[in-house]
Amino acid sequence: MRQTLLRLFGYIRFHRGHLLLAVLFMTTLAISNAVYAFLAGPALQFIFTGDIAGLIKRSDGSLARIWSILPHSALEFVQGLDQQQALAVFPVLIVCTALLKGISQAGQFHLMGVIAQRILLRLRTQLFDHLLHLPPSFYVHQTQGDL
């Protein structure tokens, strides 16, 4: 089985560019899913309650992990927002994140489909070529269903 898998992985080498682009789309999709969840949860809580602490800090009072990844200026920007500004900023962020998520999902779905179809085409072509090059005696000794 291992040899079969290795042989099948050999077909992917012809599609490295598409595969790398699909992985980039998948990574973007994963990140946009996380951002979307962040925006839908604590950010909406901030809009409705006006409590900035739920957006920036965890329940134990420590700084949320997302703010250690982002630049310090992003934290300062969010701390400076009041409720009215948040009502203008967060819907735009949610729509932009949803668009990025949709584009990423469509891109990875399309590219993986293209890769799969091209690999299947190559396999079918090789099988057909192999069957065409078999000697006529092979077909004499085989029934139609055994091919």
Side-chain angles (χ1 to χ4, degrees):
M1 177 154 164
R2 185 172 186 229
Q3 290 175 342
T4 305
L5 283 176
L6 289 174
R7 193 180 83 216
L8 289 175
F9 280 131
Y11 289 97
I12 293 175
R13 72 173 183 254
F14 300 109
H15 308 287
R16 281 190 200 134
H18 283 105
L19 187 62
L20 288 175
L21 191 57
V23 168
L24 178 67
F25 276 126
M26 289 178 206
T27 305
T28 305
L29 179 62
I31 292 169
S32 64
N33 275 332
V35 170
Y36 196 75
F38 174 74
L39 289 174
L44 288 177
Q45 181 183 357
F46 168 63
I47 289 173
F48 292 127
T49 64
D51 182 24
I52 194 77
L55 182 63
I56 297 174
K57 298 186 185 222
R58 295 182 188 165
S59 58
D60 64 358
S62 64
L63 192 63
R65 186 179 297 175
I66 186 96
W67 300 111
S68 62
I69 297 170
L70 297 174
H72 188 68
S73 60
L75 178 61
E76 290 172 356
F77 173 75
V78 170
Q79 286 176 331
L81 286 177
D82 65 0
Q83 212 167 0
Q84 290 301 320
Q85 291 171 326
L87 284 172
V89 170
F90 284 125
V92 171
L93 288 176
I94 289 172
V95 168
C96 289
T97 304
L99 283 172
L100 181 64
K101 183 178 167 184
I103 291 168
S104 298
Q105 187 168 4
Q108 69 93 19
F109 182 79
H110 172 72
L111 287 171
M112 292 305 289
V114 166
I115 292 169
Q117 291 300 318
R118 288 182 181 172
I119 289 173
L120 283 173
L121 176 65
R122 182 178 289 269
L123 283 168
R124 288 175 180 154
T125 302
Q126 287 177 349
L127 176 63
F128 187 69
D129 287 344
H130 177 72
L131 289 173
L132 285 178
H133 290 95
L134 289 174
S137 62
F138 173 79
Y139 294 103
V140 169
H141 299 295
Q142 302 293 324
T143 61
Q144 285 179 324
D146 291 339
L147 289 179

